[in-house]
């Protein structure tokens, strides 16, 4: 029987225009460019400005550009999954809003939330719908407006996060390319160290939750850092070992961009030199669900058909995982 794989056949991205630099943050909280650069690798991040603008506004640009690039009509999309922790609304799903805005009238869709691992969780989920043979064109969007849940008086979080994201088209292939393997993990005991406490069913919005700033990201940096270094490095090494990949077999690591030190620890563990690692954290910071598609978008022209690529992420939950894929096309 011929095996159907899911292959990424196109990628696009979007970042808002406004640049929030370390220098500007120095005026907002007690911090400095040197500390931020040394501890995180971040120099600037993008912020979506505009009353009523949300995650779907960024997603729509990425998806529309992807459809144009691939010369595909919105009605051809079977399914759209939106990976995000900052949906436009609590409900309905941002995926539904995106489909409505782009005219994807034949698609069904849903949101998937796994904090910073949202995109790889969504890509793995989408790949299963392709592998069954039932779906031909799936869009996976990874996008976040992190500025909507960040406290810009909290120096431990506001320096890290930014807005933006990207979208990939997933199609079936029978030539052995595309997604080869995926390993996903989660551990809910990590929730105490990284969460947004209010806005859900435990603590619906109230004056009290606002006063206590529970609508913002809460993060205990050190425990998350330790778990992230271990989780991302371990799962990346595990997927290499499971698929008999040596460091020289891997063309690219596409790591979630949370902290340059976490990325370095992961690439060292995989035995990869820096020139094989996609890093744009210095320009965008941590866009949560957006980091991996943004990297693929920026590096697309350098990718060659057959390249062995490892995607790897760690995030709140805790959630973490890795995907091994063979790139399916040469960019023109
Ligand atoms: O993507 C989702 C998963 N999230 C992550 O992977 C994030 C993981 N954690 C991290 O990336 C790092 O822990 C941070 C970047 C958040 C913090 O870096 P750190 O090296 O762990 O710093 P720290 O929290 O241990 O703080 C060290 C010192 C403290 O001062 P004292 O107590 O030593 O006097 C902090 O108060 O640095 C201070 N500090 C700052 N100083 C200047 C904390 N934030 C800042 C700041 N500017 N923005």
């Amino acid at each position: 029987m011929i095996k159907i794989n899911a292959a990424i056949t196109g990628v696009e991205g979007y970042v808002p225009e406004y640049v929030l630099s370390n220098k500007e943050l120095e005026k907002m909280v007690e911090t400095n460019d040197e500390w931020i650069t040394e501890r995180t690798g971040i120099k600037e991040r993008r912020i979506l400005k505009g009353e009523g603008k949300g995650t779907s506004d960024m997603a729509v640009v990425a998806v529309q550009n992807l459809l144009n690039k691939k010369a595909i009509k919105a009605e051809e999309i079977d399914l759209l999954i939106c990976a995000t922790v900052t949906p436009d609304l609590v409900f309905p799903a941002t995926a539904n809003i995106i489909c409505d805005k782009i005219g994807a009238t034949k698609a069904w869709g849903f949101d998937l939330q796994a904090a910073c691992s949202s995109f790889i969780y969504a890509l793995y989920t989408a790949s299963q719908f392709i592998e069954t043979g039932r779906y031909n064109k799936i869009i996976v969007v990874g996008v976040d407006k992190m500025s909507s849940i960040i406290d810009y008086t909290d120096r431990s979080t506001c320096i890290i996060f930014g807005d933006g994201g990207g979208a990939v088209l997933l199609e079936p292939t029978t030539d052995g390319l595309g997604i080869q393997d995926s390993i996903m993990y989660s551990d809910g005991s990590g929730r105490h160290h990284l969460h947004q406490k209010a806005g859900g069913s435990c603590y619906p919005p109230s004056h009290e939750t606002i006063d206590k700033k529970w609508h913002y990201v809460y993060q205990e940096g050190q425990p998350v850092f330790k778990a992230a270094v271990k989780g991302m490095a371990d799962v990346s090494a595990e997927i290499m070992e499971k698929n008999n990949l040596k460091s020289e077999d891997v063309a690219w690591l596409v790591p979630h961009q949370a902290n340059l030190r976490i990325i370095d620890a992961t690439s060292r563990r995989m035995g990869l030199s820096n020139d094989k690692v996609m890093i744009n954290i210095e320009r965008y910071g941590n866009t949560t669900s957006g980091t991996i598609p943004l990297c693929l978008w920026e590096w697309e022209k350098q990718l060659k058909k057959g390249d062995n690529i490892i995607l790897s992420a760690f995030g709140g939950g805790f959630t973490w995982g890795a995907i091994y894929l063979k790139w399916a096309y040469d960019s023109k």
Side-chain angles (χ1 to χ4, degrees), residues 139-200:
I139 301 251
V140 181
V141 190
V143 60
D144 268 300
K145 183 187 172 187
M146 291 306 291
S147 61
S148 65
I149 54 168
I150 292 298
D151 175 4
Y152 285 94
T153 64
D154 174 9
R155 69 174 183 176
S156 68
T157 51
C158 74
I159 56 141
I160 300 170
F161 294 97
D163 303 339
V168 299
L169 177 66
L170 218 53
E171 294 182 282
T173 177
T174 51
D175 57 9
L177 298 170
I179 294 175
Q180 307 291 308
D181 195 16
S182 306
I183 303 174
M184 299 293 148
Y185 290 110
S186 65
D187 174 5
S189 68
R191 70 190 182 280
H192 304 293
H193 305 298
L194 179 52
H195 57 249
Q196 180 191 331
K197 196 164 182 173

Side-chain angles (χ1 to χ4, degrees), residues 29-32 35-36 39-40 115-116 154-157 159-161 194 219-226 228 256-259 261-262 286 288 314-316:
V29 288
E30 205 185 320
T31 190
N32 57 78
W35 191 96
I36 302 173
R39 305 310 293 170
T40 69
C116 293
D154 174 9
R155 69 174 183 176
S156 68
T157 51
I159 56 141
I160 300 170
F161 294 97
L194 179 52
Q219 175 170 260
E220 293 160 8
Q222 286 284 341
V224 178
F225 182 85
K226 278 187 201 145
H256 169 55
Q257 317 274 309
N259 187 314
R261 291 180 289 145
I262 299 172
N286 182 351
T288 302
F314 183 94

Side-chain angles (χ1 to χ4, degrees), residues 281-294:
I281 191 170
E282 71 283 359
R283 282 174 290 129
Y284 304 138
N286 182 351
T287 54
T288 302
S289 315
T291 60
I292 289 177
L294 273 177

Side-chain angles (χ1 to χ4, degrees), residues 60-79:
V60 161
V61 181
V63 175
Q64 197 57 63
N65 288 345
L66 180 56
L67 296 180
N68 295 345
K69 183 155 96 178
K70 295 294 296 177
I72 287 171
K73 291 195 195 76
E75 298 85 15
E76 292 177 62
I77 301 167
D78 303 310
L79 165 65

